Amino acid sequence: MFAVDRYPSVSSFDQAGPFRAASSGVWMEYFFQQVVNGLTLGAIYGLIALGYTMVYGIIGMINFAHGEIYMLGAFISLVAYLIFSSIGGGSVALALLATLLVTMVFTAIWGWVVERTAYRPLRGAPRLAPLISAIGVSIVLQNFVQIAQGARVKPLPPVIQGGVTLDLGKTFSVNISWLQIVIILLTLALMAGFTWMISRTSLGRAQRATEQDMKMAALLGINVDRVVSATFVIGAALAGVAGLMVTLYYGVIDFYIGFLAGIKAFTAAVLGGIGSLPGAMLGGLLIGLTESLWSAYFSIQYKDVATFAILVGVLLFRPSGLLGRPDVEKV
Amino acid sequence: MRPPPLLEVHGLTMRFGGLSAISELSFVAGQGEITAVIGPNGAGKTTLFNCITGFYRPQTGRLVLHHPDGKALGLETLPDHAIARKARVARTFQNIRLFPRMSVLENLMVAQHQVLMSASVFSLAGLLGLGRYRRAERAAIDLARHWLDRTGLTSFADSEAGALPYGHQRRLEIARAMCTRPLLLCLDEPAAGLNPRESSDLNQLLCGIRDEEGIGLLLIEHDMSVVMGISDRVLVLDHGCLIAEGSPDEVRRNPTVIRAYLGEPDESAVVLGGEG
């Protein structure tokens, strides 16, 4: 069984149960509650999915070690938070901010190291080689954390508590925890900053150019290796933030969480159209919503089946995804 | 009087398996000159360009680029991005290689990436004061606008490069190459697929680049009106060897060249040659 299933699930908000709902007010309340939970989950998936889609866009490779970077981010944030909260003198916000920065920096370094050691030497090798290397890195990182941190689940008591209750109409209201608000706002801010970086800065232009024609970019004086490194570093930092969020949101992590979250984020990237950045964000949200609504109305045991059924469906019927560009055959 | 040398090629040999695409090729291209490279298909012209721009590593030979300040760089030892950045060699392709899903202006800005990066991230001044980066970006946009003007593409600045008409794409490729501030511009069949008017516009543009920028151009071209009209020197390759070199007029009358283009003289060829 996947370790993730041990987490208090998103539907722990489910106290009344949907089918016992007596009035439409209760029904609406339940629905909107699940949407809020789904958006939160989707934000986390979206942040991870960006890393998959960026790397695929630029070097045409699925970085299957990306989920492990997210897992490392969760561990780094846990350790960093424990350190900062003990020396920070009581300010939770300050400790969280420091944790965020440290997590981003360290996961970025991990991303750089992985690219440098496992993928760059294989640039130009057959496509299967870096894929196998990625799976190797994934196993190495999982085992490294398992040995270094132990296989047991690591708990973190809730850091941000409380929330707001939105009254929507007369008959029902929705609870949004502060943590959910923080996660969604931070994700929006990161995605906005990231979009700005890609579309407006010189590095972003170089990334898009490298994505479209790597050789030509090099001929214009762009150090392509450095651009690819930057892509891994940025993707890893975003996955690190997702790791921090999941640590805070679920309060328990272990060395195995990268696997399932990684594949789900990959599903999100494929659903949105692999290589498309808005697609990754949209795909993340849709996968998050699917999971939480499926758990709410059908069977929580089958929520992963539902997610991966989407993956199969997209690959069968719309391989280019929702926002992806269909491959145009060059003549 | 020959101008000072810009690109010196010594004993260049490039083999693919048993096939010698270029063997023992030596020549000099001068500063501020247009040097055309002509020859039948398969003569090794594009291979020569690929060696100059770092696509291929030649088995033997040296490619030396002389900067006006006296610095000399061996192109065969540099990685491809350093050939563009340090040696300042730019190139266009026979089949156009723009970044099709970026705007015209962005294509020109990408060519100045290294300048912008060193102004922003890889220097302390860039980290401390944003002003320097903003100045660098403004300068980059100015240079891009200059080349948009020169190539008549100003009104297309924000269109997607891949959506431009063919002739415009060719000019944009030249503009993009010029935005890297090259000393040597290598053009692989820039007139291919152009109509006569576009072709004569191109001639003007290339002469303008030579005269106003003072840089050297190396030109592969099959269109003889372009070759004979604008080049200062012509190199003729056949089977990877230099078979003739000189001014356009000298080359046109060279019997070896005529033989390479028209084949070994049988009777009809001799008659043709006699009439011409």
Side-chain angles (χ1 to χ4, degrees), chain A residues 29-211:
Chain A
E29 186 169 321
Y30 187 75
F31 175 76
F32 279 105
Q33 192 64 61
Q34 296 311 322
V35 167
V36 169
N37 298 341
L39 288 177
T40 313
L41 195 60
I44 295 174
Y45 287 148
L47 281 180
I48 310 174
L50 279 178
Y52 276 106
T53 219
M54 268 166 73
V55 166
Y56 181 83
I58 210 156
I59 53 174
M61 168 207 152
I62 306 291
N63 175 16
F64 275 117
H66 191 58
E68 311 313 329
I69 298 285
Y70 149 85
M71 180 271 292
L72 282 169
F75 272 86
I76 292 167
S77 67
L78 179 65
V79 174
Y81 180 75
L82 292 177
I83 293 173
F84 286 125
S85 60
S86 65
I87 63 171
S91 166
V92 171
L94 212 61
L96 279 178
L97 194 64
T99 304
L100 177 69
L101 293 178
V102 165
T103 306
M104 287 180 85
V105 168
F106 275 84
T107 46
I109 293 171
W110 274 106
W112 185 83
V113 169
V114 166
E115 193 273 332
R116 197 73 186 75
T117 54
Y119 305 145
R120 193 182 294 181
L122 296 173
R123 193 89 35 83
R127 286 171 76 104
L128 204 53
L131 195 70
I132 294 168
S133 163
I135 293 169
V137 169
S138 164
I139 295 171
V140 166
L141 292 180
Q142 266 183 31
N143 283 277
F144 164 66
V145 173
Q146 184 185 6
I147 292 166
Q149 297 291 326
R152 295 167 70 108
V153 171
K154 300 275 177 292
L156 178 72
V159 173
I160 305 175
Q161 282 169 318
V164 287
T165 304
L166 290 183
D167 284 321
L168 299 168
K170 286 182 186 120
T171 52
F172 67 101
S173 58
V174 174
N175 292 313
I176 308 177
S177 70
W178 291 123
L179 184 56
Q180 287 177 320
I181 293 173
V182 168
I183 287 176
I184 290 171
L185 287 183
L186 183 57
T187 303
L188 286 178
L190 284 172
M191 285 179 174
F194 178 76
T195 307
W196 176 81
M197 198 276 300
I198 289 290
S199 60
R200 290 275 179 273
T201 69
S202 193
L203 177 63
R205 273 195 299 265
Q207 281 178 311
R208 282 179 290 144
T210 306
E211 182 209 322

Side-chain angles (χ1 to χ4, degrees), chain B residues 126-202:
Chain B
L127 284 172
L128 295 178
L130 274 169
R132 195 185 130 150
Y133 177 69
R134 230 174 293 132
R135 267 199 303 283
E137 177 136 296
R138 216 172 304 130
I141 293 175
D142 285 345
L143 184 66
R145 293 226 171 277
H146 170 74
W147 284 107
L148 284 176
D149 270 351
R150 289 287 300 270
T151 50
L153 294 172
T154 306
S155 54
F156 297 95
D158 294 323
S159 342
E160 208 174 60
L164 289 186
Y166 184 82
H168 291 32
Q169 292 197 12
R170 282 233 166 268
R171 292 208 301 277
L172 177 56
E173 241 201 342
I174 295 173
R176 184 180 62 179
M178 288 310 295
C179 279
T180 64
R181 301 180 171 87
L183 292 169
L184 175 65
L185 176 61
C186 303
L187 302 159
D188 196 344
E189 297 198 30
L194 298 188
N195 66 35
R197 235 206 79 189
E198 289 172 326
S199 185
S200 88
D201 285 350
L202 178 77

Side-chain angles (χ1 to χ4, degrees), chain A residues 199-203 205-206 208-209 211-213 215-224 226-227 325, chain B residues 53 55 80-81 84-85 91 93 97 99-102 106 109-111 113-114 116 122 133 137 176 180:
Chain A
S199 60
R200 290 275 179 273
T201 69
S202 193
L203 177 63
R205 273 195 299 265
R208 282 179 290 144
E211 182 209 322
Q212 292 180 26
D213 190 339
K215 262 297 182 189
M216 191 65 231
L219 282 181
L220 292 172
I222 294 172
N223 189 336
V224 171
R226 206 176 275 167
V227 172
R325 231 168 2 92
Chain B
T53 51
F55 263 42
D80 45 13
H81 60 89
R85 196 170 80 244
R91 164 175 194 184
F93 284 84
R97 285 179 79 166
F99 302 116
R101 295 183 302 284
M102 292 170 83
E106 278 181 329
M109 296 293 283
V110 160
H113 174 67
Q114 282 308 324
L116 289 173
F122 301 120
Y133 177 69
E137 177 136 296
R176 184 180 62 179
T180 64

Side-chain angles (χ1 to χ4, degrees), chain B residues 102-120:
Chain B
M102 292 170 83
S103 78
V104 167
L105 183 63
E106 278 181 329
N107 265 276
L108 302 185
M109 296 293 283
V110 160
Q112 305 177 63
H113 174 67
Q114 282 308 324
V115 182
L116 289 173
M117 278 313 261
S118 59
S120 64

